[in-house]
Amino acid sequence: MVARSWVASLDAASADMDVVDRAVARSAGHGLIREITDFDVETVLELDAATLGDYPGGTATSHTPLTGSTAQVSSVRRGLGIFDDKGRALGVTYVDIDGSSAGTDFTVVLPQFRGLRLGSAVKAACVLALMKDGVRVFRTGGAEENTAILKANQNLGYVVDGEWVTLRLTAEDRD
């Protein structure tokens, strides 16, 4: 076994909106949370490049580096971020939408801003924005060793409903 991972869901019907609203409000003073636009692609790419080495878990939870095109948003790929007063992305979350369901692609915060609950804030803001657009089920996941994002998701009301392990075959196993 080389990694353990989890997956969780949040149903809009059972979401505690006070908890979600408070998570967004805690970001006050750190920056402005808003939808990512084409004008933000450069700063999002800088954030992504600065955090590429921060994704634990190996194959099951790996992160493919963003490109100019994958950093852009659309009606089926949305992103929210927290931006400082100079327009620098401090943290972002991207989700892929399929009808009334949304799956988190990734959420990341610059290392020097971790521990301020900015990841929770952008995820919560994303839930609020997508609920207004009719999304009813939210999915997310991560590596077991990333306890911060697991706790952040659970605090927002996500419920872990699956776990798996990643195995690597050795030469002895192949014989």
Side-chain angles (χ1 to χ4, degrees):
M1 183 182 72
V2 294
R4 295 180 71 86
S5 307
W6 53 269
V7 64
S9 63
L10 173 68
D11 188 321
S14 62
D16 184 335
M17 299 314 294
D18 289 336
V19 168
V20 176
D21 287 335
R22 279 195 306 274
V24 175
R26 279 194 298 269
S27 68
H30 298 291
L32 175 66
I33 296 179
R34 61 175 173 75
E35 295 251 6
I36 293 169
T37 69
D38 288 346
F39 297 109
D40 301 315
V41 168
E42 184 177 327
T43 188
V44 168
L45 291 173
E46 290 170 2
L47 167 66
D48 192 57
T51 57
L52 282 177
D54 297 343
Y55 292 90
T59 304
T61 56
S62 65
H63 171 69
T64 302
L66 291 175
T67 65
S69 62
T70 60
Q72 292 179 336
V73 295
S74 68
S75 61
V76 294
R77 181 164 172 81
R78 303 269 293 273
L80 274 85
I82 183 163
F83 298 88
D84 68 12
D85 57 358
K86 295 180 179 137
R88 176 177 62 151
L90 307 179
V92 298
T93 191
Y94 274 79
V95 297
D96 296 309
I97 301 167
D98 183 9
S100 63
S101 297
T104 303
D105 181 11
F106 70 97
T107 303
V108 69
V109 174
L110 282 172
Q112 63 269 39
F113 292 94
R114 292 184 185 151
L116 301 174
R117 299 183 179 175
L118 301 184
S120 295
V122 295
K123 284 197 89 156
C126 188
V127 166
L128 290 172
L130 296 180
M131 285 174 89
K132 289 179 184 174
D133 291 343
V135 173
R136 309 311 308 156
V137 177
F138 300 85
R139 304 285 297 160
T140 194
E144 177 183 67
E145 62 264 36
N146 189 347
T147 57
I149 198 63
L150 176 59
K151 183 178 179 183
N153 284 301
Q154 289 174 325
N155 288 342
L156 291 175
Y158 282 85
V159 176
V160 173
D161 55 13
E163 297 180 48
W164 67 92
V165 296
T166 302
L167 303 173
R168 180 176 296 131
L169 294 175
T170 66
E172 293 171 355
D173 295 326
R174 293 184 187 126
D175 291 337

